[in-house]
Amino acid sequence: MPKRFNLREEAQKAFQNRKRKPELKRDAVLSTAAHLFLKHGYRRTSMEDIADHLEITKPALYHYFTSKDDILVGCYSQGIASILTRLDDADKATGSGLEKTRAFLRVWVETITTMEFGQCVVSLDDNELAPAARSEVRRLKRRIDRSLRERIAEGIADGTIKPCDIRLVAFAFGGAVNSIGAWYDPNGKLSTSAFVKAYTDILIDGVSMAPAPKPVRSSRRGARSTKSE
């Protein structure tokens, strides 16, 4: 789980000043809820738990969100919006369809490994939601899928991505990225930035049109060959 610093203290500050904007208080609720959902699970986290962490009453919490489902949809929305916003910025610095796809995957993996909202997108089960809320979450998820397919298609068109079944490749990428929430350890051997680059490279190398590098002989073997000649 991504590291958070003084989450409870920072979230409480939003409610200590009555003049604070409602948007800041909504954000504080979402940040707290995302942390608790990931730590304890969606079902095991109650509205009362969220209110207690914010040191507010349940009626005050209901002033900003109508239900726990409503809060979870908000967490999904924040995570997906972060991915799409950062993707737009990444696209401005890239050219080919392959590089846009690489940028997409990098942003996707980075958001999941560094933001709790991003991790909510891949770690929480939307089947636990009521039908209307589940439908809204899946609509948001489809935005990511469509955006990814567009970049893969662009890469095929400009010759930087191998001809492939775009739908199948998008599903493969999605499965690989979504699985991160189940096993990624931020305290592992690789730094977060090193992990993001390595994982993205593994995924993108499978569709790149660039030829695979030839194997390099060891210097010892090369020395023997030179001597025999």
Side-chain angles (χ1 to χ4, degrees):
M1 183 180 295
K3 296 178 181 178
R4 299 295 298 267
F5 299 96
N6 298 320
L7 169 69
R8 188 168 186 172
E9 180 181 341
E10 290 300 315
Q12 288 170 353
K13 286 180 181 178
F15 288 91
Q16 289 172 355
N17 186 341
R18 292 186 178 182
K19 295 182 179 180
R20 288 282 181 92
K21 294 181 179 179
E23 293 82 4
L24 294 177
K25 296 179 180 180
R26 283 179 58 87
D27 288 345
V29 172
L30 291 176
S31 296
T32 300
H35 179 76
L36 294 176
F37 290 160
L38 292 171
K39 184 177 181 180
H40 302 296
Y42 177 72
R43 287 187 178 180
R44 294 188 182 93
T45 302
S46 66
M47 292 290 274
E48 186 173 359
D49 292 331
I50 298 170
D52 286 347
H53 271 71
L54 292 167
E55 294 187 353
I56 61 175
T57 64
K58 282 179 64 177
L61 182 57
Y62 280 108
H63 178 73
Y64 298 98
F65 292 94
T66 59
S67 65
K68 193 170 70 167
D69 278 6
D70 190 23
I71 293 177
L72 182 55
V73 172
C75 291
Y76 274 110
S77 298
Q78 288 274 29
I80 292 170
S82 296
I83 293 171
L84 295 177
T85 298
R86 296 170 74 181
L87 178 61
D88 288 340
D89 293 336
D91 269 357
K92 296 174 184 177
T94 57
S96 69
L98 178 70
E99 288 309 308
K100 288 182 179 179
T101 303
R102 184 192 298 277
F104 183 104
L105 294 172
R106 186 182 67 247
V107 166
W108 198 359
V109 174
E110 187 176 60
T111 303
I112 288 169
T113 54
T114 61
M115 295 179 60
E116 286 184 332
F117 287 132
Q119 197 173 46
C120 283
V121 175
V122 299
S123 298
L124 300 180
D125 185 3
D126 59 28
N127 285 312
E128 297 188 61
L129 294 169
R134 182 167 62 246
S135 177
E136 173 62 12
V137 164
R138 292 181 178 178
R139 182 189 69 80
L140 292 169
K141 288 182 176 180
R142 285 194 293 271
R143 292 180 61 193
I144 293 180
D145 182 66
R146 284 197 303 269
S147 187
L148 176 57
R149 293 189 194 193
E150 289 170 1
R151 284 154 182 79
I152 295 172
E154 187 174 341
I156 295 172
D158 67 20
T160 56
I161 289 180
K162 300 172 184 177
C164 59
D165 184 322
I166 295 173
R167 179 173 175 271
L168 182 61
V169 171
F171 281 154
F173 282 159
V177 174
N178 288 337
S179 71
I180 292 173
W183 54 261
Y184 174 69
D185 179 5
N187 299 312
K189 293 181 179 179
L190 290 177
S191 67
T192 300
S193 59
F195 169 80
V196 170
K197 182 182 185 307
Y199 203 70
T200 300
D201 286 346
I202 290 170
L203 296 177
I204 208 69
D205 284 350
V207 298
S208 173
M209 281 293 285
K214 295 180 179 180
V216 179
R217 294 180 178 180
S218 67
S219 57
R220 185 178 178 183
R221 184 177 178 182
R224 286 201 302 269
S225 298
T226 302
K227 186 175 181 180
S228 64
E229 293 173 355

